[in-house]
Amino acid sequence: MDYWPGVAHDLLCLNSDWLWEVNAQGVLTQWTPSAQARLHQHEPPTTNGQLWSSFLRADQMLRSGLAELLRHVKRREPLRCVRVACLLPHAGVQGWLRISGLPFYSATGEFLGYRGAAVNISGQMLSERRMNRLAAQNQNLLAAIEASSTLIMMADLGQLGWPVVYVNPAVQSVTGYGIHEVQDRGMFAGLAEPESPAARRLHAAADNRLEASAEVRWARRDGSTFWARVTLVPGCSCHGHCIMILMVRDITAERAYEQAQEQRTRLEALGRVAGGMAHEINNLLQPAQLNAEIMGDLHPDDGPLLHDITSSLEQISFIVRNTLQFSRKDKGPEIAPPVPVCTLLTERLDYIRALLPATVEIVREGIETVRGEISLNTTELTQVLTNLATNAAHAMKGHGTLMIRARRVEVDGVRLRPHGLPLGTYLHLELSDTGCGMSEAVLARVFEPFFTTKPVGEGTGLGLAVVFGLVQGWGGSIDVRSAPGQGTTFTLLIPMVGAGQQHGGKHEQARSIG
Amino acid sequence: MSKRVLLVDDMGGIRRSVAYLLRQEGYEVVEAEDGAQAIERLKEGSFDLVLTDILMPHVDGGEVINRLMAQPQRPKVIAMSGGGAQSTADQALREARDKADAILLKPFARADLMGLVNRYVA
């Protein structure tokens, strides 16, 4: 009998669990040296006599820990692995214990207290907490990736054939390919021109596990393609495999915006040249014009010859005037009184209707219902609409549908601001034809003065240049979309007369110019 | 007594043709090659009409018009302009347009010129 208490004491001292006993009042009466050492380190064991609840803590991480323990104790129930936060006095930090224990009673059945074991689970709890935090972070990251409009795919380069191991929902919503199809087809299957230099560069980067970025055309399931910026970023999977992250961003809108900006810059430069030339030419035409008339007086017999001179001069003057209109950046001297958009457009379109062959159908949408007023030189508006409509009719070879849509839009700076237009209310006018369309090369130059696809003698190449200049003069913008065989759409934004705002209008009085 | 016109333009060809037509109609025409000369001529005598180009070397037409506007009794002013999109030309044209009695845009025909001149001076 002497043997066991001695051995038990030794074993208790070796045990890493802390064995404890509290009396009926909850005062710690006994615990093993290891527990003393852990709780107090080198301090003398002063804990005896302390209420055990005084170093247990409520903790938000263990929502029910302390409460659960107290509830069990109140009912004299056994404690089975109850996790409770506690103060670790030696370190001055919070730790966690997993406590098990049983109530014990006297021979007469009187409740004497609890005894049991406690395990320090601080390390485990801390790592659990880190894991939870990481998991939450990962969940947020995943949510961001899944919500992203950028196509994100991940391929395992450590396996044969580089299987795709992840695709985000944007892949399906943008391209129409489901995850299994992408997995079957591989991460580069979207490259619409796999032999293009940019595509080859991407392949080479993946082969060499390198980062890369390129602008390529990316294919959708329906056969259409879009301009995309593809970025490759190599990484490492949790299995130690090399993975490749492929991100595909639709940059169609950005490219269109950049191209429009470029075109605008080029046209402005051309406009300056044209304006300068027009000024010089007008001055030089002046004596020629008057002298031709004077010569007509002096030599009435040479009438027909002189008439050729004056009619040539008139044509030159006409071209110069148009070129000036293209290059002009401000409004004309007259400020037109504001008129309702619907009235003005209806009236102008009736005029255009009469101008085009009957075989061209004009479909109007929103013209009668668009609200707001506009202050434009009617002649200029007619010129713009006529030029666009006759071009459309020409592109449709006299047969087809010209769709004209009008609506009111707010340029609010939230979305892309086309051409850096001032914020405000604009008339969004769209003219779409079902004609032959234009190639990208033609499209890029379509507003340039003297650029024409018509045979020599049929077009001056000034029509759209003039349209461009006039729309700019109104403080608006014009854009064009087209593809061969898919018709052409011109989109105009024209400032409306908004409540209390004036779009770059000038306050000049209409004056007689003779 | 015939009406006096001061004709200001840096291009000899324009001065010669315009002056020819004006003289033919009985106007007395004094020519100036630029704004500085025009200001000199204006000091020397009085005029019923000043017909001036806008963009000229040294002193431009805008300056001539400004000086004229400061006078209590001034001749009528018709500005002639070749237009153009250079910002200075645009600016000058706008200013001249605001101040001059009328604008003639080059190239103008004889009828345009005589119609306007007769209207302002007759």
Side-chain angles (χ1 to χ4, degrees):
Chain A
M1 289 300 280
D2 283 339
Y3 170 75
W4 281 109
V7 171
H9 182 263
D10 288 350
L11 289 174
L12 287 177
C13 290
L14 286 169
N15 185 13
S16 64
D17 288 4
W18 312 335
L19 302 182
W20 50 270
E21 198 176 286
V22 297
N23 65 15
Q25 285 72 46
V27 174
L28 266 174
T29 49
Q30 297 290 332
W31 60 6
T32 53
S34 94
Q36 286 178 15
R38 293 287 179 85
L39 285 176
H40 298 281
Q41 240 164 1
H42 305 299
E43 288 173 29
T46 55
T47 318
N48 268 354
Q50 197 180 339
L51 274 172
W52 73 333
S53 56
S54 70
F55 65 93
L56 298 180
R57 292 279 180 276
D59 174 31
Q60 55 180 13
M61 230 175 115
L62 299 169
R63 247 169 274 146
S64 66
L66 184 59
E68 188 188 344
L69 183 128
L70 294 176
R71 197 171 59 238
H72 286 312
V73 169
K74 200 170 168 190
R75 295 178 192 160
R76 309 284 185 255
E77 288 167 349
L79 306 171
R80 297 189 207 286
C81 296
V82 180
R83 299 198 295 181
V84 189
C86 72
L87 195 69
L88 298 176
H90 64 277
V93 294
Q94 179 176 287
W96 290 269
L97 298 174
R98 190 173 63 223
I99 297 172
S100 298
L102 288 169
F104 64 97
Y105 301 89
S106 70
T108 57
E110 187 194 348
F111 172 67
L112 294 178
Y114 266 85
R115 58 167 73 101
V119 184
N120 184 353
I121 54 164
S122 300
Q124 185 192 330
M125 288 297 287
L126 283 175
S127 70
E128 208 171 285
R129 177 185 272 189
R130 264 197 300 275
M131 290 294 284
N132 283 344
R133 208 179 292 146
L134 263 175
Q137 249 170 26
N138 280 347
Q139 216 160 10
N140 290 345
L141 280 176
L142 188 67
I145 291 169
E146 301 254 304
S148 166
S149 61
T150 298
L151 282 55
I152 300 171
M153 294 172 233
M154 231 175 268
D156 188 344
L157 300 194
Q159 292 185 54
L160 207 64
W162 298 351
V164 174
V165 291
Y166 173 81
V167 304
N168 72 342
V171 173
Q172 174 138 34
S173 62
V174 172
T175 66
Y177 285 111
I179 174 161
H180 298 300
E181 284 170 301
V182 176
Q183 281 174 334
D184 287 346
R185 290 159 39 90
M187 72 173 160
F188 283 130
L191 288 170
E193 293 151 358
E195 296 306 315
S196 70
R200 284 168 186 277
R201 223 169 39 244
L202 291 173
H203 272 291
D207 282 337
N208 296 304
R209 276 61 168 158
L210 291 175
E211 235 179 91
S213 182
E215 285 185 13
V216 294
R217 289 202 74 87
W218 200 261
R220 296 190 192 93
R221 196 171 208 279
D222 62 10
S224 62
T225 60
F226 60 92
W227 273 108
R229 169 156 286 277
V230 175
T231 309
L232 282 176
V233 182
C236 200
S237 77
C238 51
H239 309 298
H241 284 180
C242 182
I243 54 160
M244 190 53 92
I245 302 165
L246 180 92
M247 288 169 280
V248 182
R249 195 160 55 84
D250 185 343
I251 52 165
T252 311
E254 281 162 57
R255 277 181 75 101
Y257 182 74
E258 276 168 25
Q259 276 171 359
Q261 287 293 99
E262 255 172 51
Q263 187 181 50
R264 202 172 122 97
T265 314
R266 205 171 56 238
L267 289 176
E268 273 174 6
L270 263 170
R272 277 192 298 279
V273 174
M277 276 180 62
H279 180 260
E280 292 306 308
I281 293 173
N282 280 340
N283 271 303
L284 292 167
L285 282 176
Q286 188 57 69
Q289 166 73 36
L290 294 181
N291 288 348
E293 293 188 71
I294 293 167
M295 297 307 276
D297 289 351
L298 299 177
H299 304 282
D301 297 343
D302 294 330
L305 294 178
L306 287 164
H307 176 75
D308 287 346
I309 296 183
T310 46
S311 84
S312 284
L313 292 173
E314 263 165 39
Q315 283 182 42
I316 296 172
S317 167
F318 173 77
I319 291 174
V320 171
R321 224 177 13 254
N322 277 329
T323 314
L324 265 183
Q325 261 174 340
F326 156 72
S327 66
R328 214 196 51 196
K329 274 191 291 191
D330 61 339
K331 280 194 184 183
E334 300 93 22
I335 290 259
V339 286
V341 174
C342 51
T343 320
L344 185 63
L345 281 181
T346 306
E347 187 191 295
R348 288 300 98 193
L349 291 181
D350 287 345
Y351 170 79
I352 302 285
R353 170 66 279 175
L355 218 63
L356 297 189
T359 45
V360 170
E361 191 192 357
I362 298 187
V363 179
R364 308 180 189 191
E365 207 180 276
I367 308 290
E368 281 83 8
T369 52
V370 62
R371 289 171 302 114
E373 293 193 321
I374 210 156
S375 162
L376 283 187
N377 178 322
T378 320
T379 321
E380 291 182 353
L381 178 66
T382 311
Q383 202 176 350
V384 166
L385 293 176
T386 311
N387 280 352
L388 291 176
T390 47
N391 268 353
H394 190 267
M396 299 188 285
K397 299 195 167 58
H399 293 270
T401 306
L402 175 60
M403 176 74 132
I404 303 175
R405 289 191 191 88
R407 63 190 166 90
R408 185 188 165 99
V409 295
E410 297 294 329
V411 171
D412 51 13
V414 177
R415 291 166 295 151
L416 269 188
R417 273 169 66 179
H419 310 298
L421 288 181
L423 305 186
T425 311
Y426 287 79
L427 167 64
H428 184 277
L429 191 63
E430 210 174 68
L431 289 93
S432 303
D433 67 47
T434 53
C436 54
M438 289 178 269
S439 68
E440 231 172 291
V442 172
L443 210 53
R445 302 188 55 193
V446 78
F447 293 119
E448 281 179 22
F450 306 110
F451 176 78
T452 179
T453 55
K454 294 176 187 168
V456 176
E458 269 191 40
T460 57
L462 277 172
L464 286 177
V466 166
V467 168
F468 182 87
L470 290 176
V471 175
Q472 290 244 303
W474 300 337
S477 71
I478 180 164
D479 278 304
V480 58
R481 286 197 311 277
S482 185
Q486 292 181 20
T488 301
T489 300
F490 284 95
T491 307
L492 287 81
L493 282 174
I494 307 168
M496 285 200 180
V497 181
Q501 58 184 354
Q502 196 93 30
H503 294 274
K506 300 195 314 173
H507 307 279
E508 276 174 59
Q509 296 296 310
R511 292 182 72 109
S512 154
I513 59 162
Chain B
M1 211 176 96
S2 59
K3 303 278 186 183
R4 297 190 79 214
V5 178
L6 175 61
L7 173 61
V8 195
D9 200 306
D10 58 324
M11 267 186 71
I14 293 180
R15 285 201 311 278
R16 273 191 294 282
S17 55
V18 172
Y20 179 95
L21 290 170
L22 291 174
R23 286 183 183 126
Q24 209 179 28
E25 297 263 337
Y27 291 99
E28 183 189 337
V29 181
V30 175
E31 294 177 33
E33 285 179 24
D34 57 32
Q37 273 193 17
I39 290 162
E40 286 305 308
R41 301 288 168 272
L42 283 165
K43 282 181 194 157
E44 291 162 15
S46 70
F47 292 90
D48 300 291
L49 175 72
V50 176
L51 196 56
T52 178
D53 187 20
I54 294 173
L55 273 190
M56 287 182 296
H58 313 306
V59 180
D60 71 12
E63 176 64 25
V64 175
I65 295 172
N66 280 339
R67 295 224 178 185
L68 281 171
M69 293 302 142
Q71 294 175 7
Q73 278 215 313
R74 62 169 182 86
K76 295 284 181 189
V77 179
I78 297 174
M80 302 181 287
S81 169
Q86 302 135 307
S87 57
T88 52
D90 263 3
Q91 185 66 25
L93 186 60
R94 267 201 296 275
E95 280 178 22
R97 195 181 261 146
D98 281 343
K99 289 170 183 159
D101 295 299
I103 289 261
L104 267 174
L105 290 176
K106 293 173 186 169
F108 47 84
R110 169 164 58 181
D112 301 328
L113 170 72
M114 293 323 300
L116 209 55
V117 170
N118 288 335
R119 171 134 65 99
Y120 279 97
V121 186

